Amino acid sequence: MAAGTCTSIRPRLIGSCSTVRLINGAGVSFSVRISTRTRSQGGGFTAPVSSREEGPSCIFVGPIDSARKETLEALYRQAKNAYYNGKPLILDDMFDRVELKLRWYGSKSVVKYPRCSLLRHSTYADAEDDTSQVLLLATIWILILLFGSSACVLPTFYGLSLVYGGDPFNSGLVYISSSSVPLLTKLNGILLTVLGPAFGYPIASSAVGVLKGLWRNDLTALKGDCPNCGEEVFAFVRSDQSNRSAHKADCHVCGCTLEFRTKVEKSALPLGRKWVYGRIYLVSRPRRDRRSKYS
């Protein structure tokens, strides 16, 4: 500003800095930008404001797939509060990825109550996998597998023992010559050898198929809050079932019809397991059904 005498000053505040236009004695104007706000008072300048507003910053988490649960929860709370205050920290896509990862962790930070969808004009709630119900069903099918395996193996072992002249229930396991075994005993042994696998193998193979489906989450249990009464409900659904033919069930408390819709995500679970979650929608009944219900 030593180029000449300052004859006019017109400050213009822009954000946290101010631009000052000066006119020297030769009539040439030039601009000077000051990084802090200034105030014109009595034809002169006051001291600049020392406070400087810094931009928002978020917690560094690194790759979301390998981030810890506690770090993601801290970022989720910070981003959520900043969004409600009108100063979003991260993009919506990244926020959804963090929320999805926390749901995979089973974090309570992302638990939401039943709410309404303006797009679908329906009420829905989030649904998570119910491990306890899956384990209970798997236990039942393990018992069925043991029964089928026993029905397949034990009659075969006993039948072969009868055919070759041994008595499996004798403590000494004394074997005699097969030529001295009566013909009727041999026929019974052959019959048991054939009928045992014919009866037990289908049961055992069906149990193995169901257990494989439970392990891969092809068949899983989803639980969540009823969108109408808020009580916890669950249902067994197939993950490969199309949402056009979603599984429907009735709430055991209020009796409303519910629709379970599934979503499948690829995860790092071992041996090809999938992660299944979804939503529970409240199915609105026609007015005629409502009148008949309360009449």
Side-chain angles (χ1 to χ4, degrees), residues 96-115:
D96 294 339
R97 290 176 57 193
V98 172
E99 186 178 36
L100 192 63
K101 186 66 176 180
L102 286 176
R103 290 187 66 179
W104 184 81
Y105 276 129
S107 174
K108 300 298 182 181
S109 302
V110 294
V111 174
K112 298 179 181 179
Y113 295 98
R115 52 203 182 275

Side-chain angles (χ1 to χ4, degrees), residues 3 16 26 32 41 44 47 50 54 70 87 103 105 113 137 159 165 187 189 193 195 228 234 246 264 272 275-276 284:
S16 60
V32 177
Q41 192 175 38
S50 60
E54 296 182 356
E70 295 77 11
K87 299 178 180 179
R103 290 187 66 179
Y105 276 129
Y113 295 98
L137 182 61
L187 292 177
T193 305
L195 293 181
N228 185 53
F234 78 93
V264 181
W275 176 45
V276 183
S284 58

Side-chain angles (χ1 to χ4, degrees), residues 30-86:
F30 58 94
S31 300
V32 177
R33 175 167 294 182
I34 304 175
S35 60
T36 56
R37 293 181 181 270
T38 57
R39 296 192 303 268
S40 177
Q41 192 175 38
F45 286 103
T46 62
V49 180
S50 60
S51 61
R52 181 179 179 182
E53 183 180 358
E54 296 182 356
S57 60
C58 61
I59 301 174
F60 177 76
V61 298
I64 297 179
D65 296 335
S66 59
R68 297 188 306 164
K69 175 183 175 181
E70 295 77 11
T71 307
L72 290 177
E73 286 178 342
L75 175 61
Y76 180 80
R77 289 191 295 266
Q78 184 189 22
K80 188 176 180 179
N81 295 333
Y83 178 81
Y84 288 146
N85 292 331

